[in-house]
Amino acid sequence: MIPGPRNLITDVPGLRVGNAQDAALKSGTTVLTADQAFTASVHVMGGAPGTRETDLLAPDKSVARVDAIALSGGSAFGLDACSGVSDALRARGRGYPVGSTVVPIVPGAILFDLLNGGDKDWVGNPYRALGQAAFDDADVDFALGTEGAGTGALAARHKGGLGSASLVLDNGVTVGALVAANPLGSVTTPGDRHFWAAPFEFGGEFGGLGPDSSAGLGLPAPSRKAQVMRLAEPDKGNTTIAIVATDAALSKPQCQRLAVAAHDGIARAILPAHTPGDGDLVFAVSTGTRTIDAEAELGLIGHAASVCLARAIARAIYLATPAAGDLLPCWSAPHDKS
């Protein structure tokens, strides 16, 4: 397995990603789409998800293909980003055909960034416009770090962000991950230098420091995030939301199994993960352009997706950049990384 040429989820042929953000709001939206509808499913392992249209992605539900997926900040308000994406798709005649009309299918998930120091004193919900702008921005190249849905994200000890990574398997299948990382847990071991995901790193893509050689790492360092947000209940206001994708032709049930496997990447990159106060969720997407023996290859594809997701989470924090009014430092802020 080697990373694709961009080391982005858009190494899966046909996929495009767009970002839109508001610096004053300290929030934004990220949209994954394609020229053709794609097969998708989802698996939720966090205790506090915020979602739209995810019931439709269950294997027994009738609609198998979707037109876009939106990841957004804004907590429940951010779900309106899906409406903006739907508006943009409808204007292009895209959607599920129903008689003489079409209905765009846009599942989405949100993270909590309402207490991150941004100006939230808006009157009209800004996320519908952010969703449409992100869709209009969609391309094969897109920025990571403090961008899109990761603009206002915070991890336990550092600024969170938007991350992505890819792998091309020996059988030619491409797998990628896209994540907005805003977890309750920490992405680094105590001491803030080494990423939990370090064993899965390729080519210094998030600093190249390697794994922490210390023992007794199971107890994470205290959360700066809970302190700066002044939360009486530190397990509130979190979430890691992600999409994994492949060009391998997978059915809807197989996509759900891919989403389940990909959650291992969250657990490898964040400590703790899948808590009652996180909304940890993974969408899984198949563009279906590469025919494979899915029964034989699905295990390997799922493993690759989990590795991509772990790397994408670390890259999200590694690439975060400072901005006015930040409550937490970036990982890249000066400190001893030796």
Side-chain angles (χ1 to χ4, degrees):
M1 300 189 293
I2 60 171
R6 297 182 182 87
N7 200 17
L8 298 172
I9 196 171
T10 48
D11 285 325
V12 176
L15 294 183
R16 293 177 284 113
V17 171
N19 291 323
Q21 54 277 325
D22 182 319
L25 186 66
K26 280 189 178 291
S27 189
T29 297
T30 297
V31 174
L32 179 137
T33 190
D35 292 333
Q36 304 294 328
F38 45 85
T39 304
S41 192
V42 68
H43 187 64
V44 180
M45 290 189 70
T51 61
R52 169 170 156 162
E53 296 277 30
T54 49
D55 283 355
L56 191 65
L57 301 181
D60 64 322
K61 299 302 184 288
S62 59
V63 176
R65 299 172 73 80
V66 306
D67 300 291
I69 296 174
L71 307 179
S72 186
S75 189
F77 303 107
L79 292 174
D80 207 30
C82 297
S83 298
V85 179
S86 294
D87 290 346
L89 284 162
R90 183 175 182 272
R92 291 161 174 77
R94 292 276 307 276
Y96 183 76
V98 182
S100 61
T101 190
V102 294
V103 181
I105 307 297
V106 185
I110 48 84
L111 56 80
F112 183 93
D113 59 4
L114 299 181
L115 301 178
N116 64 358
D119 180 6
K120 306 302 193 293
D121 191 26
W122 41 264
V123 177
N125 187 321
Y127 288 97
R128 190 175 192 128
L130 285 168
Q132 182 158 359
F135 179 86
D136 290 341
D137 181 61
D139 204 342
V140 293
D141 293 308
F142 59 97
L144 302 180
T146 306
E147 303 284 344
T151 298
L154 302 174
R157 306 278 297 172
H158 301 96
K159 281 189 74 171
L162 186 75
S164 191
S166 70
L167 285 171
V168 180
L169 311 187
D170 291 345
N171 61 9
V173 167
T174 300
V175 179
L178 175 70
V179 64
N182 182 65
L184 179 148
S186 176
V187 297
T188 56
T189 64
D192 293 349
R193 299 182 302 157
H194 296 272
F195 286 97
W196 290 110
F200 309 100
E201 185 176 13
F202 283 83
E205 62 189 338
F206 43 88
L209 295 181
D212 193 333
S213 61
S214 304
L217 297 175
L219 184 64
S223 171
R224 294 189 186 111
K225 179 178 180 177
Q227 295 169 0
V228 299
M229 291 173 65
R230 295 182 174 86
L231 289 175
E233 300 176 88
D235 63 342
K236 306 299 183 187
N238 310 283
T239 285
T240 296
I241 47 178
I243 305 169
V244 296
T246 181
D247 56 353
L250 302 181
S251 66
K252 195 175 177 185
Q254 288 166 338
C255 280
Q256 187 185 52
R257 178 48 51 184
L258 178 61
V260 171
H263 269 281
D264 288 352
I266 296 178
R268 289 167 177 160
I270 299 168
L271 188 76
H274 302 135
T275 73
D278 280 294
D280 294 347
L281 169 154
V282 179
F283 294 101
V285 165
S286 166
T287 60
T289 58
R290 183 176 290 273
T291 301
I292 62 163
D293 182 349
E295 292 297 326
E297 302 287 352
L298 186 57
L300 176 61
I301 294 170
H303 169 64
S306 71
V307 171
C308 285
L309 184 47
R311 294 162 53 221
I313 290 167
R315 293 188 81 200
I317 281 69
Y318 175 70
L319 294 170
T321 53
D326 283 351
L327 299 183
L328 291 181
C330 295
W331 184 91
S332 59
H335 64 282
D336 179 11
K337 306 186 190 78
S338 61

